[in-house]
Amino acid sequence: MADYIYTMEIRLTPDQLKGVNLVQEVARAAGITLYLTGGAIRDIISGFTIRDLDFTVQGNPLKLQKDFERAGAQLAGHDEDVRTLFLVLPGNVRAEIGMARTEVYEKVGRAPTIAPASIQEDLRRRDFTVNAMALSLNEGSRGLLLDPFNGVADIEAKLLRILHNYSFVEDPSRLIRATRFAARFHWPLEERTQQRYDAAKENKYIDHISRSAVGHEIAQLAHEDDPLNVIRALEKEEWLKVLHPHWSSAKVDTNGLGLLMKTRQQMVDLGYTVDPSAAVMHFLTAKLSDKDVSDLRRQIPRKDLIESWRDIEDHAKDLAKRLTGKEAATPSRTWNLLSGARPEMILFLAVTSRHQTVAGKIKNFLTKWRDVQKRIPLPEMTELLITPALPEYPKIARDVFMLLLDGKLRSHTETLKFLKPFAPPPPPPPPPPRRGRGPKAVVAGAAPVPGKKGEVVKGKGKGAAVAAAAPAAVAVPAAKVEVKTKPAAKAKLVKVVPQAAKRPAKPPAKPVAKKAAAKKPATKKPATKKPKSKKR
Ligand code: ATP
């Protein structure tokens, strides 16, 4: 049996994987059987982007709403009729938790009768074979793939196949779904499915589509990677006007949409997790009237999408205003402001702002200023022992970046001059070789000891310089030895480092801590003195 858990784990994003674990924990605690189903399984197996997580439970998920919220999920809506929760899991992961159910269609155009069911029965009411699979997330059967209609084979054959002859009659929204999936994956309809599709179209079964299905399909467009392609396919099949009679591809701001998707990719490449759905809806409906847009929004089942789409322009305006004010007076301040802003707003402003200053700052934030990071002299910092092993490292690295951004460190030399005072004292030279004299020899090795003339000179000269250039890992134990053996030196070190960090632009002429450490071997008394060996 293929190991689908392994496949799932390598295909999901880290946040999606955490989301699966969260849902699994809640279901386990409630003693409810849980499956990952539908599009998530299809995308895991086919290798396409996994857009959202569809879960099915044997039981009523609406009862678990509070448990999910306590575990960190946000409620984005629910559907009483089919007992489904719409959630946003941490990391902006969209999820649906539906009840395993049967749907019995008694008459064309009538809503089906819904009843709780097993997962096997639930899979039989689904739209296409590739969407009718479930992965068990339950103890004892975790990783078991239920594939009663051979969905894996159809994924391999790249075919969309309905489960039975009455599929489009029972639920005509499957016609829209067939067109959407065919456009997205470039998978054709299997021959008989195509015949049923054509017959359903000719007989205008689409007139019986339910309002809730229309809302669901409108919302799905927001999450397409190439929404314009899907809109055109829907228009060609005459399904777009089913979603709204005034909607057509002419109502789309195609330039805006193209730029949005390009900028989104740029942000993803920079490591952002950015949800473009609200902006996609904005551009897809850019030339529709306000009333038509409100009509569309009203039908969407997820309130998070309705709100983010409705508020996107206002939120972007707020950010634009802040970008032209004092808060963004310098590049470093702008960097801080934009680093704290929602990536969705940066994306939307990057595409829509006509204000030169705002557009310029966002452009710099996404491009030019990233290169400034490359001017942080990391190799030299390592030589100076300014490495992540230092507690104050994040602040030093940040300060140097901010000063570089603001043009306050104009050259490599100036940057090094700024950094040097933050260098911790070099570690002591290695202990002299043991001469087989027992405990005394060991004590002598604990610190640089001026024994014979030659040995002391070694500690101060070239050997010390080599130690100073040693990797970070060496610096930590060295600092510890210093603290233990020389309380006075420790006190100085603790005092000096934060002071230097507070006034980064004006480094002290000579770092006191370093000076103290450098003096140490010379002032140290010979290790042969008895009281010292007793203390240890
Ligand atoms: P997407 O990648 O667009 O999210 P999806 O397959 O996950 O695709 P959803 O609309 O999120 O689509 O639906 C989740 C699952 O619910 C589907 O995979 C399918 O199994 C089932 N489903 C959704 N709509 C229908 C429908 N109209 N008829 C039958 N099954 C449906």
Side-chain angles (χ1 to χ4, degrees), residues 290-320:
D290 288 350
K291 184 184 170 304
D292 292 343
V293 169
S294 317
D295 286 349
L296 281 172
R297 276 185 202 144
R298 242 198 313 277
Q299 300 185 67
I300 291 177
R302 292 190 70 118
K303 72 171 191 299
D304 54 343
L305 177 59
I306 302 175
E307 285 168 7
S308 54
W309 175 14
R310 187 195 58 205
D311 299 338
I312 194 165
E313 283 183 287
D314 288 344
H315 287 164
K317 263 184 213 152
D318 287 347
L319 181 59

Side-chain angles (χ1 to χ4, degrees), residues 37-40 42-43 51-52 54 94 96 103 105 125-127 131-132 171 173-174 177 180-181 184-185 216-217 220 224:
T37 45
R42 177 200 64 220
D43 296 337
R51 299 141 35 106
D52 54 6
D54 308 311
R94 276 182 308 126
E96 273 186 43
E103 290 179 353
Y105 292 84
R125 58 124 193 128
R126 302 218 170 214
D127 50 2
N131 287 344
D171 180 352
S173 75
R174 292 171 190 162
R177 294 174 65 79
R180 184 159 62 79
F181 291 133
R184 187 200 301 168
F185 300 128
H216 186 80
E217 292 309 312
Q220 291 297 347
E224 290 293 339

